[in-house]
Each structure stands twice: as structure tokens, then as C-alpha cells.
Amino acid sequence: MKTVLLLIPGLGTIVFLMGSALYTIVIQSFGIDSEFGATLIYWSDALHDPILYRSIHYSLRTSILGSLGAVVLAYPIAMWLKNTIPGKTAIVGLLRAPMFVPGLVAAFLLINVISFHGILNESLLALGIIDKPMRITNDKFGWSVVILQIWKNTPFALILLSSSINSIRSDVLDASADLGASRWANFWQVVFPLTIPALQAALILIFIGALGDFAFASIAGSRNVYSLSVLMHYTATAYYEWEKAAVIGLIIMLLSAFSAVVLTLITRPFANRTKAVIPADYKG
Amino acid sequence: MLQIKNIRKCFDDYVASDDISFNVAAGEFVTLLGPSGCGKTTLLKMIGGFHKADSGEIWINGKRIDHLRPEDRNTAMCFQSYALFPHLSVSHNICFGLVQKKVPASLQRDYLAEALSQVGLELHKDKLPSQLSGGQQQRVALARAMVMRPDVILFDEPLSNLDAKLRESVRFEIKSLQKKHNLTTVYVTHDQAEALAMSDKIIVLNSGRIEQEGSPEDIYYRPVNRFVADFIGAANIHKAKVSKMEQVNHYKVECDLGELVVESEEAPVAEYVYICWRPESAYRAQGTEENRFSIKVENLAFLGNVTDLFGRSGLMDEAENNVRIQLHKLLHTQIGASEEFVLPKNTIRFLEEVVS
């Protein structure tokens, strides 16, 4: 009993804050607190709405590509940073800079770069590479959001992957080279499997952040398709459908939890290799 | 087979290898022995390709290899920490090099089965390294190296992480596998007992230089200088004035034990030289033998198989090292007593000149 009481200051706060928010949103999504009483109508409405599915598709593709892009980009940088490089501290500081730029500011910066009369278009026009400006902002697919997600999250992936790569003993890497592994084989067969826990953590955390992203999607996202969080925002504040917004909120949470499990299951088989090399019926 | 020619390697001001040259014949077990920081691991890593020499050449089977990357040299290294891949089972660890060499899967299975039986790990083949004991992990590392059929197998203090008892048994296992498969081996250790027990040839290193190269018997019984004498086993070292006697290969030496006769095929390098002898060479005087000396017992320790005795002769001053004698028979004496011992004349060795 005494032990449980000791947990209250830490765990109690978390449970209270998380629990009360979750409780409210669940109650709201089933309309339990409304004058009509508990109903599945809001869930039914939301799940029959094609806009929701377009939003789920849009959010999933931008967050999958964004999180994958960030870790794919972070791996070679982390491998490179393992070496002794002059000015390493300054390089690491510069690489981490995007973490300190708020999402909204970053989105506006990107818009300035890729807008119709932005730096990119003007530069390409000046160089004579294009005849007329390209329309690449607020694209339907969500590439501008993907680019922003990668830009913003690569430093975070880099922190997790770098510490994991640096914790691999140098003699394990020496042994790999000694046994004839090329640089690619060394990465794919030794470094990658040994950094799977860090990769899982990076992928899941970035994915969940990207799935619930509002800042990038509202500034640089598509004008035709909403991301889930933008849809939730408009549903609640423009249409005053708070119960339906609560349903969308719960869908975001469920999708995050489901995706975390899927990402873990997909990446887990890469972590160990224990399958028998010699079959049971081997005669020699 | 393996030729090291005038290898030099510096780390800033520190000279790790200073003009090192030696040869290792096919099937020979050569140990690089020396204290921490003497440059033995650096030398091994240069053979393996993990460090690049500043100058000098490394040849294996008539082919110069010092410019090649580790993966392009046919050497295999057993690391101090074993360096097993923690995510791979014993079988996959052993096959790792074969996969890189693109050895066909059926042949990989044959090599693996053979290697597992050689190191006695058939029952553990699908376990991860973390599920094995230190000795078993060491055997996996050995199997992983052997399965590559390397031209030279390199060991970097492979037993230093094992407990004393296991160290002895793995030492014999490594030696018997090396003999059985005629593996050309370069072994690094700071443990002189390990070096003496396993090697065909020992190279004693100190401060990046070779102090002596020879068989274990040579190194132990015929050290060339005070460093080797003192580093390998225990040694009593004295300054001595030498004069030749009429009898062939016989010399009279005057030292702080008194006047002694030395029988040596090698002449002393100067009139004033250091001499050394092993603590187990002396025995208690029975009567009127030659080369008797007397010491006052200062310390006595019964170690079971030997009695360790420390004493001082009348000619030794307090600042000088005392004399150590190891007797295989129980000595009934006490601290403070004066005892007489005999030092056989052929057990005394001339070392380098005394430079005052």
C-alpha cells in the first residue's frame, strides 16, 4: 500500500491528465454527455464520410513517407558522424538546428522557398531551366508536407540512431571487416540489425508526431484534402460538430497505436538471426 | 610465410612500432609478448589491416599486403572481447565470413558442422552469444576465424576475459587446434605463462622495439637483457665484475653475493656486466659445493608446491633488491636465520654491460 502511495505524485499526474482527456473524448464521441444520451451516430456518420477516408489516406502517406525519409536520411549521416571529422561539434549543432525551429515557422519558410514566386522558382527562371514558375506548394499528394516532416524530424532520428550506432563496439565492426564484409554488408548485416531498437523508437515517435501534425498540413498541406488533424480542427471549430471531432481524435489515437504495433512487428525480424543453418536431417 | 619488414608506426610523439622485423613460418605459433603499451596490439592490428604502418612492409605467402584493406587480406582475428555479432546465432556468427566470401550454402553447412565439432559447440549452434559462457564465446570466435581458412590467424589477448581455471583449459584447446590444423598464428599477450606454454617462438616487445626473439626456453633461460629477464618469470639480477678463468667457457664473477663461477658459452660483453639467475636455480648447500653463498632470511612464504624465500647477503646494502629463492622442498628455517645456498655455475646468465 505504501509503495502504491509513493507512486501517486508521478504516476497520478500522468494518469489524471491523460485519463481525463481520454475520458472526455471517449464520452464525447459516443455523445454520452449530450441531451440525447449514448449513441453510435457520430461514429457511424464519421465512418460513412468519404472525406475522412481521404484524410486518413493523406495523413498516413505523408507521415509514413516523412518518418521513413527522416530515418533513411539520418542513417548515412549518423554513420558518417561516427568517424573523426574536423569541426564535428559544429556540424552536429547545425544538423540539429531544425529541431529548434517551430513547425509553423518552418512551414512558412518552406512556402517562401517553393511558392509560385519563391526563391526556387525565381532561381530556376533566372537560370533559364524553366520557362514559367511551377506550382509546387500545397500539392495534392502532400510532398511539401513530406519534405517538411523529413527536414524537421531528421535531427531527432539522427540523435537516436547516432547514439545507437556509437554504442556498437568498434571491434565488432572491425571483426565484420576482418571477415570480408564490404561497407554495405557491414551496414546491412551488422549496423542495421544492431540499431533496430533505436530505429523502431525513431520511426514510431516521428510517425505519431507526423500523423497528428497540424502546423505543416495547415500551411503547406493540400488545399483539396485535409490531414486528420486539420479535418478534426475544422469539424470542431467551423462546423461545431464536437462529437464528430472527438471521433476523428480517437481515430488518430487508434491509428497511432495500431501503426506503432505494425512498425514494431515489421522491423523486429531484422533484429536477430537465429534460424538454423544446419537442418535437423543434416548428415555431413 | 608472414614477413614483417621494418615496420614503423607513430601516434603523434609516441612510437608504437620502431623498425620491427620478424618472420613467422607456416604453421608456426608466434607470440608477441610485452607489458601494456609496448605496441604489441598495434603491430597485430597492422597485420590485420586495422592500422596502417607509417613505413615498412608486410608480406604473406610472397604477396605484399600492407596496402590492402582488412576485408581484402586473408587474415582472421580473434579479438580480446571476442567481438561476436550479438544479433546472430552461433551458426550465423561462424558463417558470417563464408557468406561474405559467397561460399555456396551446402559448403557453408559442411564447414560449419566441422567447425562446431572442432570447438565442441554442436549443442549451442542456434543460441545467441549472450546465452553462452565466456569460454564458449571464445570458442565461437575461434571457430569463426578458423572456418575462413586464413593464411594467418591473429589473436589479441583472447584469454584475458576468462577466469584463471578456464584460461588454462582454453589455452590448451587453442594450442591443440592450432597444431592439428597447422594454423600459422600470431598471438598477443602480456601473460608470460601463456606465452611460454603455447608458443613455438616468442617475440618480447618493449616500447615499440623487439627486445628478444626466440623459443620459450631461450627467452626463459637465456634472456639477453634485464628487461627480458625481469619480465619473463622472476629473476635475481646483480652487477658483477667478470674475469676469465683458465678453464674453457668459465668466468669468475664478483658480485654482492660474493665470488661465483659462471659457465657460459657466450662471453660477457664487458668487464662490468649484469648477471641474472632464476629463483628456482639455487638449492640449499649440503656441504662443500662450488658457488656457495650465504644470506640472512628476511621473509618466508610457504606456497604449497614451493617455499618462497627472500633474503639479503652481507654485501648487499639496504637499498638494493633482495634475493629471491624458490625451493621445492620444505625449508625448516626462520626469519633472521642465516642460510647457505648453492647456485649451479651453468644457471647464471650474462646480461648487458653496466653503464655507470
Side-chain angles (χ1 to χ4, degrees), chain A residues 171 178 189 271 273 275 282, chain B residues 77 81 87 89 92 100 110:
Chain A
D171 51 8
D178 187 50
Q189 294 175 33
R273 198 132 47 96
K275 195 179 161 226
Y282 178 78
Chain B
M77 183 120 156
S81 63
H87 61 297
S89 67
H92 285 287
Q100 310 311 321
D110 294 343

Side-chain angles (χ1 to χ4, degrees), chain B residues 146-297:
Chain B
M146 276 173 35
V147 85
M148 296 294 287
R149 312 286 200 264
D151 291 332
V152 181
I153 190 160
L154 309 168
F155 289 92
D156 183 13
E157 308 210 28
L159 309 183
S160 57
N161 289 340
L162 304 179
D163 63 61
K165 202 158 188 175
L166 198 57
R167 205 178 304 157
E168 266 180 36
S169 70
V170 179
R171 180 196 295 172
F172 285 117
E173 279 174 29
I174 291 178
K175 183 63 189 167
S176 68
L177 284 170
Q178 183 268 335
K179 275 274 163 253
K180 192 173 165 192
H181 300 284
N182 203 35
L183 298 168
T184 306
T185 306
V186 181
Y187 189 99
V188 157
T189 184
H190 65 269
D191 183 333
Q192 36 117 351
E194 216 168 281
L196 291 171
M198 300 173 84
S199 319
D200 298 319
K201 183 161 83 182
I202 296 175
I203 295 169
V204 183
L205 293 165
N206 183 30
S207 305
R209 279 181 295 108
I210 294 180
E211 294 282 355
Q212 190 173 354
E213 181 181 334
S215 68
E217 294 78 16
D218 270 344
I219 300 285
Y220 189 78
Y221 290 115
R222 290 175 283 283
V224 294
N225 56 32
R226 280 179 296 160
F227 176 82
V228 178
D230 200 36
F231 188 73
I232 313 288
N236 294 299
I237 298 170
H238 310 267
K239 288 176 188 169
K241 183 184 178 210
V242 192
S243 52
K244 188 139 182 41
M245 293 171 77
E246 280 182 14
Q247 208 177 340
V248 180
N249 294 339
H250 279 62
Y251 302 86
K252 188 177 82 184
V253 296
E254 289 168 49
C255 65
D256 51 16
L257 289 178
E259 211 173 86
L260 299 170
V261 175
V262 177
E263 184 187 355
S264 168
E265 284 181 12
E266 282 171 44
V269 290
E271 187 186 1
Y272 289 92
V273 293
Y274 289 98
I275 59 167
C276 82
W277 52 279
R278 297 292 178 190
E280 69 275 16
S281 299
Y283 59 88
R284 201 173 190 187
Q286 304 290 325
T288 56
E289 300 100 323
E290 193 179 35
N291 272 5
R292 273 178 295 129
F293 65 91
S294 177
I295 58 167
K296 193 173 163 188
V297 179

Side-chain angles (χ1 to χ4, degrees), chain A residues 152-222:
Chain A
K152 176 81 178 155
N153 290 310
T154 300
F156 178 68
L158 194 59
I159 289 173
L160 290 182
L161 292 176
S162 280
S163 62
S164 184
I165 288 172
N166 290 335
S167 69
I168 300 174
R169 295 178 62 107
S170 61
D171 51 8
V172 169
L173 301 177
D174 281 349
S176 158
D178 187 50
L179 292 164
S182 63
R183 283 184 189 182
W184 170 248
N186 184 45
F187 170 75
W188 185 241
Q189 294 175 33
V190 180
V191 175
F192 183 69
L194 291 177
T195 52
I196 287 288
L199 172 75
Q200 286 173 336
L203 267 181
I204 290 169
L205 292 175
I206 295 171
F207 177 84
I208 291 171
L211 191 72
D213 160 67
F214 180 80
F216 292 157
S218 61
I219 304 294
S222 168

Side-chain angles (χ1 to χ4, degrees), chain A residues 90-157:
Chain A
I91 294 168
V92 171
L94 208 61
L95 285 167
R96 286 183 185 171
M99 289 184 80
F100 303 101
V101 181
L104 269 173
V105 179
F108 275 115
L109 287 175
L110 185 83
I111 292 292
N112 282 332
V113 172
I114 64 172
S115 65
F116 202 68
H117 288 293
I119 301 163
L120 184 71
N121 271 326
E122 293 297 326
S123 305
L124 292 175
L125 278 171
L127 290 167
I129 297 171
I130 53 173
D131 299 330
K132 53 181 184 178
M134 299 181 292
R135 187 164 293 282
I136 39 181
T137 50
N138 308 107
D139 63 304
K140 198 176 171 187
F141 183 86
W143 285 115
S144 44
V145 175
V146 171
I147 291 167
L148 276 168
Q149 293 291 2
I150 294 173
W151 177 82
K152 176 81 178 155
N153 290 310
T154 300
F156 178 68

Side-chain angles (χ1 to χ4, degrees), chain A residues 214 230-242 245:
Chain A
F214 180 80
V230 173
L231 180 68
M232 181 182 156
H233 171 70
Y234 285 141
T235 307
T237 59
Y239 301 103
Y240 300 104
E241 294 179 24
W242 284 92

